[in-house]
Amino acid sequence: MNETISLLQNHSSVRKFENKPLLEEQVTDIFKSANQASSFSLLQAVSIIRITDQETRKKIQKLCADQPYITEASEFWIFCSDFNRNHQIAPEVDLTYTEFLQIGVFDAALMAQNALTAAESMGLGGVFIGAVRLNIEEMTELLDLPEYVTPIAGLCIGHPKKEKNPIKPRLPQSVVMHENKYEPLNLSAINEYDEEMKKYYENRPVRAPFTVRTVKGWSDHIQDHLERSILPNMLNHLNTQGYARK
């Protein structure tokens, strides 16, 4: 196992940070690493909003279910699907097709993961914040996002305050990787994974509204989280921003 594979396989989220800023060269290196991620046909349909104003961060924290690490982390970046630049260059192209949203989301995810991996390679840590979409209309207004721009995920980056959490177990390869065609769900493997997750959560304290509240298996967690993740105004927001009309 080489150093890169070891880094990737030992990832765990960090939610407690030292009150210590990043060096600007670290910020630049993390950005350059993110910016070099693969991009669909080099459309580069992503913008990063770096939140340096503390009052703005406090407002964002409130919009994101009051998750404290948004203001505690050294850096907070919001990755957006952005076809506004492309629209200005090629205004005659109809960008309201759903495919463009999919491209922007995929590119934003690649850049965000590159950023976190780069940060972890420096001994830093981070956690993604999907709740930037929780109050998406207010978030869009706060960030002054124009048409064809929508927030996808936030990223806290900073110096870990304590040792990282143990590595959270993932679904086994037999469940996630299909061969040649989509295969039926292996329920026995899911049951084994549920037991593994129960053991993990027995030793992990509950911290935030969007983490598992009680010791439970993965299947119970999925039932609970899917119900809480429905954002009924999302399609209206996307249509307002020029996305997913067709």
Side-chain angles (χ1 to χ4, degrees):
M1 181 183 296
N2 63 39
E3 189 174 330
T4 302
I5 291 175
S6 177
L7 178 70
L8 292 170
Q9 292 187 7
N10 284 280
H11 161 75
S12 65
S13 296
V14 171
R15 293 178 174 85
K16 292 287 185 181
F17 299 97
E18 298 282 356
N19 183 17
K20 180 181 177 183
L22 268 59
L23 301 173
E24 277 303 313
E25 65 183 58
Q26 289 178 306
V27 172
T28 299
D29 282 340
I30 293 170
F31 167 75
K32 286 183 176 180
S33 299
N35 204 37
Q36 201 58 39
S38 298
S39 174
F40 182 89
S41 294
L42 204 62
L43 291 177
Q44 301 183 84
V46 182
S47 281
I48 302 171
I49 313 294
R50 182 189 181 195
I51 309 299
T52 56
D53 179 73
Q54 280 302 115
E55 288 305 311
T56 301
R57 273 221 228 175
K58 290 177 183 177
K59 293 177 182 178
I60 290 172
Q61 179 174 315
K62 288 183 179 179
L63 292 175
C64 294
D66 209 26
Q67 298 180 72
Y69 20 93
I70 291 174
T71 53
E72 292 170 358
S74 305
E75 294 281 329
F76 185 67
W77 298 4
I78 298 178
F79 291 79
C80 301
S81 171
D82 180 2
F83 271 91
N84 184 272
R85 281 191 300 267
N86 291 340
H87 174 64
Q88 292 186 57
I89 294 167
E92 71 284 356
V93 177
D94 184 358
L95 296 176
T96 62
Y97 287 91
T98 302
E99 171 67 3
F100 292 111
L101 174 63
Q102 292 178 310
I103 291 169
V105 170
F106 189 75
D107 275 16
L110 292 177
M111 286 185 68
Q113 184 60 57
N114 264 27
L116 180 56
T117 301
E120 289 181 333
S121 76
M122 301 175 186
L124 303 171
V127 62
F128 287 113
I129 306 294
V132 295
R133 303 187 305 276
L134 185 62
N135 295 288
I136 199 161
E137 292 172 352
E138 293 91 337
M139 186 70 71
T140 298
E141 182 178 356
L142 178 63
L143 301 177
D144 199 20
L145 302 181
E147 191 176 30
Y148 304 117
V149 182
T150 186
I152 303 301
L155 175 60
C156 299
I157 307 171
H159 300 268
K161 196 169 188 178
K162 58 179 183 179
E163 287 187 20
K164 290 185 179 181
N165 290 319
I167 300 170
K168 186 181 292 185
R170 294 295 199 259
L171 286 167
Q173 184 173 338
S174 62
V175 171
V176 177
M177 181 174 283
H178 303 249
E179 189 166 346
N180 298 319
K181 63 179 181 179
Y182 198 91
E183 300 169 5
L185 182 61
N186 185 339
L187 291 177
S188 63
I190 294 296
N191 291 335
E192 290 178 11
Y193 181 61
D194 281 339
E195 293 304 312
E196 188 178 8
M197 288 303 297
K198 286 179 183 178
K199 291 178 182 178
Y200 173 84
Y201 281 116
E202 282 173 358
N203 299 310
R204 180 182 174 185
V206 175
R207 294 176 307 273
F210 285 86
T211 58
V212 174
R213 291 182 171 87
T214 57
V215 174
K216 60 177 71 176
W218 183 72
S219 299
D220 294 329
H221 164 67
I222 291 303
Q223 177 70 35
D224 177 50
H225 201 90
L226 287 179
E227 291 173 352
R228 291 189 287 115
S229 296
I230 295 172
L231 301 177
N233 295 326
M234 182 59 69
L235 185 58
N236 287 337
H237 160 77
L238 292 173
N239 290 167
T240 299
Q241 293 303 104
Y243 280 118
R245 294 177 184 170
K246 299 177 182 178

